[in-house]
């Protein structure tokens, strides 16, 4: 039906699927395709990435789109490959076009069904694979309409209250090279540094898909959890419970429990560890039982903070035992995990589909992996590539998501050793993390000099007052911090570290 949205001085003609109702800050439009004829001509469009690693940001409608280009394997892993439009501006669930005087026109889905929002110089549109979610339509100051959208979304999907606190993670120092002695030594060195969580990342398990203690943890995972808790920290553990590498016992013995392709073979749902991998079909009772067993085991070991990674793979298009929409399938799976671990275990989502994770996860990664270098030399121009700059840019474009869960921009560095980031770049990372209000690092104390140790000790206890003064400009405890040059690619530090 035709409808004219009335935003005071601005009237927007639209095609909608049902009669809009007034809502705080805007209008709620019933599920179904919608298209708004905006008067702004070519302008900026806010594009939102589907999962933690998917690029988000503002781009001109008459310019290059934001996204992962020319790499189907990367796209499958780090974005919604089924819906990506490399030559047209679109994103997942929410989008906005810039109007006049700092106002934006926003369309945002209030639920699941792989909603998509796109724009050009005439139209801002929304539609979903499944018409399952109402839309929020609003016009007003950028920060206000995004906040109103987030509040409506969490009113429908929930908002958890868990707080991670200060986290030490093993990934950005040791990567997969962890073993129980190294962990014990690292934890002993952390004495006197009041971290809340010490989280083991990838490398403890024999292979992705089989969640038992690997050969480098001969005393078992409960022993390492005890080492961590005896030192006064909450034990944390990384898992990728919805995927399995082809060589895992799970994939070898139960291929029938994997999401299938059209030929009845296990479907490839992403790439990492130098391999493709598969997804568990979480609609099957045996997979639900398997997940129950895995999470009872892990919590039984003593881990109370779980980083659940590569979770998007539970929401990719493929054949499952039911025809439920893939995002609904995912949500059921993570709700099941939540019911097994209980309310007091902190769940950090990584590689999660952002909207379907609201209300179940306490925190979510909002960008690609950070690295001890500024730009990604391997994949120049891929905003989902590992690196400090990409991580900062993605995270700053998702500050509005703080209202949905804790937002994790990834680790910061204090170390100058084994680090290509200069002081200014390390400071930019810490500023972004302060703005997002999440604190994690991977620096082993043994890698820090005296000044760096002092700096770390101070940071662990710090809580800064954050004020936003512009899209990418803030005051952190009164100190003006403008990260615009980093986001727009004009930072002085940028040219110096661009390795080709
Ligand atoms: C462990 C790591 C760390 C890290 C996670 C995740 O897009 N990708 O292909 C992609 C691959 C790996 C990856 C992120 C993105 O790293 O983000 O913090 O836990 O797994 O293997």
């Amino acid at each position: 039906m035709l409808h004219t949205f009335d935003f005071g001085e601005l009237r927007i003609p639209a095609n909608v699927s049902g009669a809009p109702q007034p809502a705080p800050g805007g209008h709620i439009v019933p599920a179904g395709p919608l298209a708004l004829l905006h008067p702004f001509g070519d302008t900026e469009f806010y594009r939102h990435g589907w999962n933690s690693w998917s690029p988000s940001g503002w781009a001109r409608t008459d310019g290059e789109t934001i996204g992962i280009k020319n790499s189907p394997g990367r796209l499958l892993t780090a974005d919604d490959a089924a819906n990506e439009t490399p030559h047209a501006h679109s994103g997942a669930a929410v989008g906005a076009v810039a109007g006049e005087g700092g106002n934006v026109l926003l369309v945002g889905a209030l639920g699941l069904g792989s909603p998509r929002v796109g724009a050009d110089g005439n139209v801002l549109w929304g539609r979903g694979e499944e018409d399952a979610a109402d839309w929020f339509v609003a016009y007003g100051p950028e920060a206000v309409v995004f906040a109103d959208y987030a509040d409506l979304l969490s009113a429908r999907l929930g908002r958890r209250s868990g707080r991670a606190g200060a986290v030490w993670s093993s990934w950005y120092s040791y990567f997969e090279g962890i073993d129980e002695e190294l962990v014990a030594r690292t934890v002993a060195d952390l004495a006197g540094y009041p971290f809340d969580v010490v989280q083991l990342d990838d490398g403890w398990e024999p292979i992705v898909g089989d969640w038992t203690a690997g050969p480098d943890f001969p005393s078992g995972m409960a022993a390492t959890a005890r080492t961590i808790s005896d030192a006064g920290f909450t034990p944390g553990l990384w898992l990728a419970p919805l995927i399995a590498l082809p060589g895992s016992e799970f994939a070898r013995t139960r291929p029938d429990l994997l999401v299938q392709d059209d030929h009845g073979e296990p479907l490839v749902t992403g790439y990492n560890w130098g391999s493709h991998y598969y997804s568990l079909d979480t609609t099957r009772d045996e997979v639900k039982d398997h997940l129950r067993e895995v999470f009872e085991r892990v919590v039984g070991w003593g881990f109370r903070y779980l980083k659940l990674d590569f979770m998007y793979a539970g929401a990719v298009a493929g054949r499952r035992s039911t025809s439920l929409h893939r995002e609904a399938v995912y949500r059921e799976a993570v709700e099941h995990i939540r019911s097994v671990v209980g309310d007091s275990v902190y769940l950090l989502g990584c590689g999660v589909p952002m909207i379907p994770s609201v209300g179940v996860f306490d925190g979510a990664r909002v960008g690609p992996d950070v690295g001890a270098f500024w730009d990604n030399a391997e994949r120049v121009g891929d905003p989902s590539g590992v690196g400090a700059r990409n991580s900062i840019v993605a995270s700053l474009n998702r500050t509005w998501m703080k209202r949905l869960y804790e937002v994790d921009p990834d680790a910061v560095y204090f170390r100058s050793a084994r680090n290509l980031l200069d002081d200014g770049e390390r400071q930019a990372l810490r500023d972004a993390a302060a703005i997002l209000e999440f604190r994690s690092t991977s620096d082993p104390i043994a890698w820090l000099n005296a000044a760096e140790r002092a700096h770390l000790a101070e940071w662990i206890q710090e809580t800064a007052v954050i004020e936003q003064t512009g899209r990418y400009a803030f005051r952190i405890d009164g100190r003006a911090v403008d990260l615009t040059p980093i986001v727009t690619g004009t930072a002085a530090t940028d040219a110096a570290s661009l390795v080709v």
Side-chain angles (χ1 to χ4, degrees):
M1 61 183 272
L2 295 175
H3 176 81
T4 303
F5 287 100
D6 192 346
F7 297 109
E9 74 283 19
L10 183 72
R11 293 167 68 80
I12 305 259
N15 206 339
V16 294
S17 300
Q21 301 296 323
H27 307 267
I28 288 176
V29 182
L34 86 177
L36 279 62
L37 209 53
H38 72 77
F40 310 125
D42 281 314
T43 181
E44 285 180 300
F45 170 65
Y46 177 79
R47 187 261 191 211
H48 186 245
W50 181 58
N51 78 39
S52 300
W53 306 317
S54 317
S56 299
W58 290 88
R60 287 201 54 89
T61 52
D62 52 352
E64 268 285 312
T65 60
I66 291 175
I68 300 166
K69 310 284 169 69
N70 307 318
S71 179
R74 292 269 327 133
L75 189 65
L76 180 60
T77 308
D79 213 325
D80 184 7
N83 287 305
E84 188 63 351
T85 56
H87 304 293
H89 294 270
S90 78
V94 57
V97 286
E100 268 127 47
N103 290 325
V104 307
L105 178 66
L106 174 142
V107 167
L110 296 171
L112 316 186
S114 296
R116 196 86 190 159
V117 178
D120 59 24
N122 297 305
V123 176
L124 175 64
W125 56 261
R127 63 177 132 82
E129 279 179 6
E130 189 182 67
D131 294 331
D134 292 345
W135 301 98
F136 177 59
V137 174
Y139 183 70
E142 184 176 323
V144 174
V145 294
F146 275 91
D148 288 343
Y149 168 57
D151 288 348
L152 280 168
L153 198 55
S154 59
R156 295 199 178 195
L157 297 181
R159 170 62 162 105
R160 306 242 349 136
S161 54
R163 295 281 174 275
V167 179
W168 191 93
S169 151
S170 59
W171 186 248
Y172 300 94
S173 46
Y174 301 139
F175 298 97
E176 285 172 48
I178 49 174
D179 60 62
E180 63 182 35
E181 273 172 30
L182 179 64
V183 173
R185 258 184 287 133
T186 304
V187 168
D189 287 349
L190 288 170
Y193 294 84
F195 280 100
D196 296 285
V197 176
V198 171
Q199 177 246 319
L200 304 188
D201 213 284
D202 191 2
W204 62 272
E205 76 286 2
I207 183 170
V208 168
D210 300 338
W211 306 106
T212 55
D216 295 324
F217 289 81
S219 312
M221 299 316 292
T224 287
R226 214 169 312 114
T227 302
I228 296 169
S229 56
D230 284 351
F233 309 113
T234 298
L237 194 68
W238 173 97
L239 298 107
L242 302 185
I243 62 171
L245 281 167
S248 63
E249 193 187 319
F250 189 95
R252 283 187 290 109
T253 58
R254 297 309 307 268
D256 55 310
L257 298 182
L258 302 171
V259 175
Q260 315 277 307
D261 67 15
D262 288 341
H263 311 287
E265 296 293 325
L267 176 72
V268 173
T269 55
Y271 300 87
N272 201 41
W273 305 279
S275 171
H276 60 275
Y277 52 78
Y278 305 124
S279 292
L280 278 58
D281 178 356
T282 59
T283 64
R284 292 183 187 273
D285 287 341
E286 284 175 279
V287 171
K288 290 194 184 101
D289 292 345
H290 160 81
L291 289 173
R292 172 173 298 282
E293 225 177 87
V294 167
F295 281 94
E296 282 175 350
R297 186 186 314 148
V298 162
V299 171
W301 285 336
F303 293 97
R304 294 285 177 278
Y305 173 102
L306 303 177
K307 174 178 173 184
L308 305 187
D309 207 350
F310 293 86
M311 295 300 283
Y312 80 91
V316 294
R319 289 204 177 183
R320 297 180 174 81
S321 80
T322 71
S323 58
L324 199 62
H325 184 269
R326 58 195 177 98
E327 287 194 343
V329 165
Y330 167 82
R331 190 160 176 94
E332 267 191 19
V334 294
E335 281 175 341
H336 173 60
I337 292 172
R338 168 58 78 190
S339 79
V340 174
V341 301
D343 257 346
S344 61
V345 169
Y346 188 97
L347 294 180
L348 177 71
C350 188
V352 281
M354 303 310 295
I355 304 304
S357 300
V358 173
V360 179
F361 283 88
D362 300 283
R365 256 283 281 291
V366 288
D369 288 14
V370 75
F373 48 86
W374 188 244
D375 246 326
N376 191 312
E378 240 174 283
R379 288 195 302 270
V380 177
D382 176 354
S384 74
V386 179
R389 178 173 182 258
N390 283 346
S391 150
I392 293 173
V393 172
S395 303
L396 289 176
N397 279 303
R398 278 176 162 163
T399 52
W400 64 272
M401 301 190 96
K402 273 189 206 182
R403 304 171 96 87
L404 303 174
Y405 25 51
E406 292 201 290
V407 286
D408 169 17
D410 215 1
V412 302
Y413 297 92
F414 295 88
R415 66 183 199 243
S416 49
R418 310 187 206 207
N419 198 337
L420 298 174
L421 295 168
D422 64 29
D423 290 346
E425 293 163 340
R426 292 204 301 275
Q427 183 62 45
L429 270 180
R430 289 197 298 265
D431 286 342
I435 290 162
L436 273 84
E437 300 177 87
F438 198 94
R439 271 170 299 158
S440 79
T441 184
S442 283
D443 290 342
I445 302 302
W447 294 15
L448 302 176
N449 65 34
E452 290 160 358
R453 289 178 190 191
H455 201 157
L456 168 67
E458 218 175 277
W459 167 87
I460 296 176
Q461 316 234 39
E462 212 170 73
T463 44
V465 176
I466 308 299
E467 298 157 84
Q468 188 161 13
T469 55
R471 187 180 281 167
Y472 307 117
F474 298 84
R475 263 195 290 274
I476 304 177
D477 274 339
R479 176 173 57 94
V481 174
D482 187 357
L483 297 165
T484 312
I486 292 175
V487 180
T488 56
T490 52
T493 182
D494 208 26
S497 49
L498 221 186
V499 193
V500 185

